[in-house]
Amino acid sequence: MDDLAVRLGVHELLAAYVDCIDDDRLEEWPDFFTENCRYLITSRSDHASGLRHGVVYAASHGMLVDRVLALRKANIYEPHRYRHVVGPIRMRSVEDEIASVQSNFITVRIMHDGETALFATGRYLDRIAVSSQPFRFIERIVVLDSHKIDTLLVIPL
Amino acid sequence: MDDLAVRLGVHELLAAYVDCIDDDRLEEWPDFFTENCRYLITSRSDHASGLRHGVVYAASHGMLVDRVLALRKANIYEPHRYRHVVGPIRMRSVEDEIASVQSNFITVRIMHDGETALFATGRYLDRIAVSSQPFRFIERIVVLDSHKIDTLLVIPL
Amino acid sequence: MDDLAVRLGVHELLAAYVDCIDDDRLEEWPDFFTENCRYLITSRSDHASGLRHGVVYAASHGMLVDRVLALRKANIYEPHRYRHVVGPIRMRSVEDEIASVQSNFITVRIMHDGETALFATGRYLDRIAVSSQPFRFIERIVVLDSHKIDTLLVIPL
């Protein structure tokens, strides 16, 4: 697979991912990840310190599924949605059919009453399996710019 | 026309469109659409319910021209501008020389006094004629995330 | 170098540039520019009036280096970071191995206490040397939408 095809596939994956979340199709969200995977939401300072845990952490596809089930069942949070806008995607390397990719994002939160506010900003640091279609995340680390992790962090970023 | 050429042309169209609006060259705005077209600003809930109308609606190039004329003549609104940032563009399909495309956007509103605030977020759902250059919108549906449709919704999104 | 290679290189440059700033690696920032260059932060009205100066101005690589040194030494400002999200990149022309490019951006400011707010929006108007890798800015004009130039404008945009 040539460089351009990898770029287009990565681009499609990142766009489809935020679409899935913003469209509240969370049951499909785990399928953006490989069976053995790592999903982590962390803060810049924790990430810089090399800490491997985070506010949200999942180490397998099954843990992602569990998270969505819990989120749907608990339902204790005030209904809200996100809108993500992702900036240009940087391809850092493609080795052994794994692409290392990073991108900036801004997330806006829209509450049930229509109230809209800037919610989170940060970076996606991704390792993506590009050996077969569709591409999937082996690792997605969400590094938040602010350490004020909102208690409303229920929906994945 | 191959897939990549279509992608680049679509990319250019979407970027040129927001540039035109943000640069206040609204008289050029209708020319981003085909003669028979549909432009609609709607809310997520109305769109999900299958409603075909919206807060703003135009069914032809001429109606878009009329809208700009009215906007320029009425001039009753407090002067302001937008700044759009559009995220990665998803090509859903290309069939019969029509590309189905979607993208996320954030719009910031800048008032005459320089006051800047998050204004609207949502999705563009587009059907684009790609049979000849420049590409044009056959249909652009602007699905707003918030049902709080601001009364200042004068300039197209 | 063909059109697509230029596009990809420009895309990489713009993404790497904001990464450098948002990651606080400001010492690397001047190297995104050619030796003889022009970096300018201005307002829309000043830019429209054809004024060639701005709130921030540098006319050489050395002046950019000086600016970073001053910023690091003075250190009188409250610590903060930016997060940039850049929209689709428009290639306006490629002539004599110089690409003319423009893009929209939104910048969010994250204060030391985690407070996050919309900071600046505007356009990048760029002239980029594409004759050799890595591409570099010959000219980067940052046109801010708001004339309320924040007194906290210390870090480059």
Side-chain angles (χ1 to χ4, degrees):
Chain A
M1 187 177 286
D2 69 4
D3 180 60
L4 185 63
V6 171
R7 280 180 185 269
L8 293 179
V10 163
H11 198 270
E12 176 62 23
L13 174 67
L14 267 71
Y17 177 96
V18 297
D19 243 25
C20 166
I21 293 173
D22 295 353
D23 219 18
D24 194 30
R25 292 178 278 107
L26 298 182
E27 283 71 15
E28 301 172 22
W29 171 67
D31 294 338
F32 287 99
F33 294 82
T34 55
E35 193 55 42
N36 292 308
C37 62
R38 202 162 80 95
Y39 174 74
L40 179 63
I41 303 182
T42 186
S43 66
R44 186 162 54 195
S45 52
D46 280 1
H47 181 70
S49 308
L51 293 178
R52 303 276 291 171
H53 62 255
V55 197
V56 174
Y57 179 83
S60 68
H61 185 271
M63 283 178 73
L64 297 170
V65 172
D66 287 348
R67 184 164 178 89
V68 173
L69 287 174
L71 181 162
R72 293 295 194 201
K73 282 194 181 144
N75 208 20
I76 51 167
Y77 61 92
E78 193 186 348
H80 61 280
R81 297 254 192 138
Y82 293 156
R83 177 64 53 195
H84 290 76
V85 173
V86 179
I89 293 157
R90 296 190 73 189
M91 300 275 294
R92 304 313 302 264
S93 66
V94 184
E95 280 171 34
D96 300 332
E97 304 196 309
I98 296 173
S100 293
V101 175
Q102 61 184 59
S103 53
N104 284 2
F105 69 88
I106 289 182
T107 306
V108 169
R109 192 171 65 190
I110 303 100
M111 302 309 290
H112 193 62
D113 64 1
E115 198 61 44
T116 299
L118 184 61
F119 177 56
T121 64
R123 283 210 292 181
Y124 288 125
L125 305 179
D126 300 321
R127 291 177 63 239
I128 297 171
V130 300
S131 52
S132 61
Q133 291 283 356
F135 292 176
R136 289 205 167 87
F137 294 107
I138 297 167
E139 180 176 78
R140 163 151 271 203
I141 303 178
V142 186
V143 185
L144 297 177
D145 287 323
S146 173
H147 54 76
K148 281 194 177 173
I149 305 295
D150 197 302
T151 53
L152 258 168
L153 195 56
V154 182
I155 302 172
L157 279 172
Chain B
M1 189 178 286
D2 69 4
D3 179 59
L4 184 64
V6 172
R7 279 181 185 269
L8 292 179
V10 164
H11 199 271
E12 176 63 23
L13 174 66
L14 268 72
Y17 176 96
V18 297
D19 241 27
C20 166
I21 293 173
D22 295 354
D23 219 18
D24 194 29
R25 291 178 279 106
L26 298 182
E27 283 70 15
E28 301 172 22
W29 171 67
D31 294 338
F32 287 99
F33 294 83
T34 55
E35 192 56 40
N36 292 307
C37 62
R38 203 161 80 96
Y39 175 75
L40 180 63
I41 303 182
T42 186
S43 66
R44 185 162 55 194
S45 53
D46 280 2
H47 181 69
S49 307
L51 294 179
R52 302 276 291 172
H53 62 254
V55 197
V56 174
Y57 179 82
S60 68
H61 185 271
M63 282 178 72
L64 297 170
V65 172
D66 287 349
R67 184 164 177 87
V68 173
L69 286 175
L71 182 162
R72 292 297 194 199
K73 282 194 182 142
N75 208 21
I76 52 167
Y77 61 92
E78 191 185 348
H80 62 279
R81 298 252 192 138
Y82 294 156
R83 178 63 54 195
H84 291 76
V85 174
V86 180
I89 293 155
R90 295 190 73 190
M91 299 276 293
R92 304 313 300 266
S93 67
V94 183
E95 279 171 36
D96 300 332
E97 305 195 308
I98 297 173
S100 293
V101 175
Q102 62 185 58
S103 52
N104 284 2
F105 69 87
I106 289 182
T107 305
V108 169
R109 191 170 67 190
I110 303 101
M111 302 308 291
H112 192 63
D113 64 0
E115 199 61 44
T116 299
L118 185 60
F119 178 56
T121 64
R123 283 211 291 181
Y124 288 126
L125 305 180
D126 301 320
R127 291 177 63 238
I128 297 171
V130 300
S131 52
S132 61
Q133 291 284 356
F135 292 176
R136 290 206 164 87
F137 294 107
I138 296 167
E139 181 175 77
R140 163 150 272 203
I141 303 178
V142 187
V143 185
L144 297 177
D145 287 324
S146 173
H147 54 74
K148 281 194 177 171
I149 305 295
D150 198 303
T151 53
L152 257 168
L153 195 56
V154 182
I155 302 173
L157 280 171
Chain C
M1 187 179 289
D2 69 4
D3 180 59
L4 184 63
V6 171
R7 280 180 185 269
L8 293 179
V10 164
H11 199 271
E12 176 62 23
L13 174 67
L14 267 71
Y17 177 97
V18 297
D19 243 27
C20 166
I21 293 173
D22 294 355
D23 219 18
D24 194 29
R25 292 178 278 104
L26 298 182
E27 283 70 15
E28 300 172 23
W29 171 67
D31 294 338
F32 287 99
F33 294 83
T34 55
E35 192 56 41
N36 293 307
C37 63
R38 202 161 80 95
Y39 174 75
L40 179 64
I41 303 181
T42 186
S43 67
R44 186 162 53 193
S45 53
D46 280 0
H47 181 69
S49 308
L51 294 179
R52 302 276 291 172
H53 61 256
V55 196
V56 174
Y57 179 84
S60 69
H61 184 271
M63 283 177 72
L64 297 169
V65 171
D66 287 348
R67 184 163 178 90
V68 173
L69 287 175
L71 182 162
R72 292 295 195 202
K73 282 195 182 143
N75 209 20
I76 51 167
Y77 61 92
E78 193 185 349
H80 62 279
R81 297 254 192 139
Y82 293 156
R83 178 63 54 195
H84 290 76
V85 174
V86 179
I89 292 157
R90 296 190 73 189
M91 299 275 295
R92 304 313 302 265
S93 67
V94 183
E95 279 171 35
D96 300 332
E97 304 196 307
I98 296 173
S100 293
V101 175
Q102 62 185 58
S103 53
N104 284 2
F105 69 87
I106 289 183
T107 306
V108 169
R109 192 171 65 190
I110 303 101
M111 302 308 290
H112 193 64
D113 64 1
E115 199 63 42
T116 299
L118 183 60
F119 178 56
T121 64
R123 283 210 292 181
Y124 288 126
L125 306 180
D126 300 320
R127 291 176 63 238
I128 297 170
V130 300
S131 52
S132 61
Q133 291 282 357
F135 292 177
R136 289 207 165 87
F137 294 107
I138 296 167
E139 181 176 77
R140 164 150 271 203
I141 303 178
V142 186
V143 185
L144 297 177
D145 287 324
S146 172
H147 54 74
K148 280 194 178 173
I149 304 294
D150 198 301
T151 53
L152 258 169
L153 195 56
V154 181
I155 301 173
L157 280 172

